[in-house]
């Protein structure tokens, strides 16, 4: 998919290009080491239905008209928006639109919707900016954020040691991966031993794949059969393979596996692992390193947490279990400290 370009951003684009660090040579392979919603099974097509009533009590609105939860502008926060970003009155946000209920296309197959964009809307509102959503591929967001085409990425991007060399982050959700299987399966996935000899579908170049490769290495060191990793060309093919028994497990962003468990009759969640395994990580808004936007987004998110609008968004999409008590700005300078802090958080919560 060729992502739409933003509006004219001459001065901003030139400044961003001039500031690109040499570490850009890391390439997208290193950057793709986190959860790619588009590379994992996103779920079944919504077809013409406008809402989906799930067994967990959530009624998912999949129509283009989202009637989003909104927030009021805060003048003090708006005044902190870097001038190059705020001059056009827009917050240009990239998303991959590939994973229900995080970021996906509405029933018109054009409008990007989901919890990621609802949270981005709260941030834009707090900063007094118009939300300008740009759909892109997972592979394209790093370079286009560096070039200035995107000012922030809201697309289930997790913080890792490679990304903090290029980007700054404002955390807004816990980051977990879910294992899913057929309803009749007896799997209980807690670690490497539980996938021995199984066929597991996974997105190429994702953190899910990284976890499975590490688990396979552990299995081989114990003399046990590794899992067979299987890759499919589309989300629909991935889920079809799972539901038909051609694979035993699929690993995908946890919210997507929960969505399928609650909207389908044939699949269930059989395991959960932190996306940063063996450490912990967080999902965060992603901005160009050093441009001053991430701290402002963190403040906007904390304001939304305080006034309850953040919690309402997560509840709307059935994601309350991944709520954070506060947003933190994470940079290369404080990354190690935030990792140490996360490792002391209670089980099931990243903070």
């Amino acid at each position: 998919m060729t992502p739409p370009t933003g509006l004219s951003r001459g001065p901003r684009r030139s400044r961003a290009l001039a500031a690109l660090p040499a570490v850009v040579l890391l390439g997208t392979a290193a950057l793709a080491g986190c959860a790619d919603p588009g590379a994992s099974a996103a779920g079944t097509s919504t077809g013409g239905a406008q809402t989906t009533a799930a067994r967990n009590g959530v009624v998912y609105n999949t129509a283009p008209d989202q009637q989003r939860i909104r927030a009021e502008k805060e003048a003090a926060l708006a005044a902190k928006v870097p001038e190059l970003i705020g001059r056009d009155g827009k917050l240009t946000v990239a998303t991959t639109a590939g994973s229900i209920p995080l970021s996906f296309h509405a029933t018109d197959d054009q409008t990007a919707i989901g919890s990621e964009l609802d949270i981005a809307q709260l941030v834009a509102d707090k900063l007094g900016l118009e939300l300008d959503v740009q759909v892109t591929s997972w592979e394209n967001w790093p370079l286009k954020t560096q070039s200035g085409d995107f000012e922030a990425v809201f697309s289930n991007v997790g913080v890792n040691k490679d990304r903090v060399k290029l980007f700054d982050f404002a955390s807004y959700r816990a980051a977990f991966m879910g294992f899913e299987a057929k309803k009749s399966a007896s799997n209980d996935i807690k670690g490497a031993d539980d996938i021995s000899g199984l066929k597991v579908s996974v997105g190429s170049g994702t953190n899910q794949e990284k976890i499975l490769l590490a688990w396979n290495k552990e299995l081989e060191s114990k003399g046990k059969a590794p899992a067979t990793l299987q890759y499919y060309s589309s989300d629909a093919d991935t889920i079809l393979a799972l539901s038909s028994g051609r694979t035993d497990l699929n690993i995908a962003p946890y919210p997507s596996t929960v969505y399928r468990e609650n909207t389908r009759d044939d699949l269930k969640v059989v395991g959960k692992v932190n996306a940063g395994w063996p450490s912990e990580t967080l999902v965060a808004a992603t901005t160009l390193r050093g441009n001053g936007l991430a701290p402002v987004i963190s403040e906007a998110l904390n304001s939304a947490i305080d006034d309850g609008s953040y919690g309402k968004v997560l509840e709307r999409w059935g994601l309350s279990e991944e709520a954070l008590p506060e947003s933190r700005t994470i940079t290369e300078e404080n990354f190690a400290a935030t990792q140490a802090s996360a490792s002391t958080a209670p089980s099931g919560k990243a903070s």
Side-chain angles (χ1 to χ4, degrees), residues 102-174:
L102 301 174
S103 170
F104 61 104
H105 282 110
T107 51
D108 63 356
D109 291 326
Q110 295 180 349
T111 306
I113 63 174
S115 64
E116 303 291 85
L117 299 179
D118 281 10
I119 292 175
Q121 182 70 71
L122 292 180
V123 170
D125 287 346
K126 293 282 186 181
L127 301 182
L129 300 172
E130 177 187 346
L131 181 62
D132 177 18
V133 177
Q134 301 286 315
V135 176
T136 189
S137 68
W138 180 258
E139 293 78 12
N140 279 342
W141 73 256
L143 289 177
K144 283 191 169 288
T145 302
Q146 290 167 354
S147 71
D149 286 318
F150 305 144
E151 293 160 348
V153 182
F154 283 76
S155 203
N156 203 48
V157 179
V159 185
N160 66 33
K161 63 183 178 61
D162 293 315
R163 286 202 179 97
V164 293
K165 297 173 183 177
L166 297 172
F167 305 105
D168 294 335
F169 298 88
S171 61
Y172 61 85
R173 216 181 70 245

Side-chain angles (χ1 to χ4, degrees), residues 9 25 28 36 59 90 106 122 150 183 188 193 196 199 219 233 243 249 258 260 263 273 279 295 300 316 324:
R9 303 181 182 274
L25 297 177
T28 57
D36 172 9
V59 178
K90 296 176 184 253
L122 292 180
F150 305 144
K183 206 80 166 183
D188 181 15
D193 290 344
S196 178
K199 293 174 288 186
L219 287 170
S233 59
S243 61
L249 299 170
V258 170
R260 283 188 285 271
T263 56
V273 61
S279 300
R316 179 188 185 208
L324 297 182

